[in-house]
Amino acid sequence: MRSRTVVALLAASALALTACGADDGAEPATDDTADMATTDPMATDPLESEPMESPVEGSGDMSFEAGTTMAELSDAGTITVGTKFDQPGFGLQGLSGGPEGFDVEVAKIIAGAMGISEDNIEWVETPSQVREEVIEQGRVDMVVATYTINELRAERISFAGPYYVAGQQIMVAADNDTITGPESLSENPDTTVCSVTGSTPSEQIREYLADESQLVLFDVYDKCADALRTGQVQAVTTDNVILLGFVSESDGAFKLVGEQFTEEPYGIGIELGDTAFCEFINETLQENEDAYNEAWASTAGAVEGASPAELPEPAPCA
Ligand code: GLU
C-alpha cells in the first residue's frame, strides 16, 4: 500500500517537473512524462537473478555513530531505495516479489551491511527524471538506478561510487543497415531516436542530430523499446549495458551498432553532503567485492555480449 502511494506521488511530481522543464538544463523535444511509468504485466521473463550466496560483510558489531544515516537506518531496520522497474539486468519489476537486477543487488549489499535484510527494503520506482528530486525530498534513503555521476547532479545530491562504468551506445532493429552509429543519425534526417527525459544520453545525443525533431523522449526505456518494435522510432540510445538487456529480451529483433561514445560512471545517489554515508557505502562495496562480482554475474553480466564488471576505485566523498 505504502509503495503504491509513493509511486503515485512520483507520478504527480513527474508532472510537476514536466511543467518546470527538463533536468540537465534542456527542454525535451517530445515529452511523454505525463504518461507515467507503470509496471508492464506482460514484462515477464526477467533475467534470472540468483539470490546472493556469499554473506555481506557488515561493519563489525553494526554499531554506528549516533546521528549518522547508518545508525538511523540500522535502528529502524528498514531502508527505502529508489531504482528502475523497467530495465532488464539492472532493475526490472516482474509480476511478483521485488525488482531484480544488478542495481537491486548492489542496494541489497549496502542494506545488508547495516543489518537490513532484503525483506526490509522498500523499493520505489524512480524514473531518470525524478532521481534528484526524490533524494532531496527525503522520499528515499538512496537511489541505485543506472545513475551517471555528473557535476550538475552533484549540485543537488551526493554520489557514492562509482560502482560501474557504462557508455552510451545505439540500438536499432536487427534488419536496419542504415544506422551504424551516432553519426548516421544526422546523415539520415528522417530517422528518429528515442531516449528518456532527464537522462545524460538524451542530452549527449543532440550534437549528432540534424534537427531536434529527430529526438523522441519518454519517461522510461521500455517505452523506447516498444516504439522501436513498432517502427515508431528507428533507434534507441542510452547506456550500452541497459541496451544489451533489451537486446537479450528481444528474441533477435534488436541489435547494438557502433561503439560506445561516452563514459557513464554509475553512482549511488544520497542526500547532499552526507559524507559519512558516502564513505560507508564505498567501504562496504570495497569490502564485498565477491558479493559485487556475484551480483554482476547473475544479473547484467549474464547477458550475451556483457563484459565482466570490475569494481572501480571510489571517488573521494564530497
Ligand atoms: N546513466 C544515464 C543517466 O543516468 C542513463 C541511464 C538512465 O537514464 O538511468 O542518465
Side-chain angles (χ1 to χ4, degrees):
M1 200 50 216
R2 199 176 145 204
S3 54
R4 285 221 180 135
T5 316
V6 178
V7 172
L9 281 169
L10 282 172
S13 63
L15 282 170
L17 272 174
T18 309
C20 302
D23 166 26
D24 294 357
E27 289 296 323
T30 310
D31 191 348
D32 191 31
T33 318
D35 184 9
M36 192 56 190
T38 49
T39 305
D40 179 2
M42 300 311 285
T44 49
D45 182 36
L47 292 164
E48 290 300 309
S49 116
E50 304 278 324
M52 285 189 316
E53 274 152 34
S54 46
V56 168
E57 295 281 326
S59 64
D61 59 2
M62 295 257 175
S63 63
F64 297 103
E65 200 182 318
T68 59
T69 302
M70 296 80 80
E72 225 171 79
L73 293 173
S74 77
D75 285 353
T78 62
I79 184 169
T80 306
V81 178
T83 194
K84 301 298 186 74
F85 278 18
D86 69 302
Q87 293 179 195
F90 282 87
L92 186 66
Q93 176 68 62
L95 286 177
S96 58
E100 293 184 353
F102 183 56
D103 284 338
V104 168
E105 296 303 322
V106 166
K108 286 178 190 171
I109 293 172
I110 298 162
M114 291 182 283
I116 302 168
S117 75
E118 59 178 89
D119 298 339
N120 290 319
I121 301 176
E122 186 182 356
W123 303 102
V124 175
E125 181 175 19
T126 51
S128 301
Q129 192 179 13
V130 304
R131 291 175 293 197
E132 289 85 54
E133 188 191 6
V134 294
I135 296 167
E136 284 176 328
Q137 297 186 348
R139 294 190 204 166
V140 298
D141 300 303
M142 65 182 181
V143 166
V144 193
T146 59
Y147 199 2
T148 296
I149 300 171
N150 70 24
E151 280 177 16
L152 196 61
R153 292 171 177 171
E155 286 172 13
R156 296 175 60 183
I157 58 128
S158 288
F159 284 105
Y163 63 95
Y164 185 76
V165 183
Q168 185 172 356
Q169 216 171 337
I170 307 264
M171 177 172 81
V172 295
D175 60 1
N176 183 330
D177 297 325
T178 314
I179 301 170
T180 55
E183 286 80 11
S184 311
L185 294 168
S186 60
E187 292 160 9
N188 295 280
D190 292 341
T191 58
T192 49
V193 59
C194 188
S195 197
V196 160
T197 308
S199 70
T200 48
S202 70
E203 295 307 317
Q204 291 152 180
I205 198 64
R206 289 172 190 268
E207 65 174 286
Y208 295 95
L209 305 179
D211 189 276
E212 171 136 332
S213 62
Q214 282 188 273
L215 184 57
V216 174
L217 296 175
F218 288 108
D219 56 347
V220 291
Y221 291 106
D222 68 346
K223 291 184 186 169
C224 285
D226 286 345
L228 182 61
R229 200 169 287 114
T230 58
Q232 284 173 288
V233 300
Q234 288 71 50
V236 176
T237 190
T238 184
D239 302 338
N240 48 3
V241 282
I242 300 174
L243 295 175
L244 276 180
F246 284 108
V247 170
S248 81
E249 300 235 312
S250 77
D251 267 333
F254 302 154
K255 66 179 178 188
L256 296 199
V257 289
E259 300 298 318
Q260 74 168 66
F261 53 97
T262 69
E263 280 216 338
E264 308 291 326
Y266 289 174
I268 291 142
I270 58 173
E271 193 188 339
L272 184 66
D274 194 344
T275 308
F277 193 30
C278 172
E279 280 165 358
F280 169 76
I281 291 171
N282 287 344
E283 279 159 26
T284 297
L285 292 178
Q286 295 295 321
E287 282 166 12
N288 289 281
E289 217 170 332
D290 288 349
Y292 168 93
N293 287 330
E294 202 176 311
W296 177 260
S298 64
T299 58
V303 169
E304 203 187 326
S307 319
E310 237 179 73
L311 182 62
E313 276 297 308
C317 292

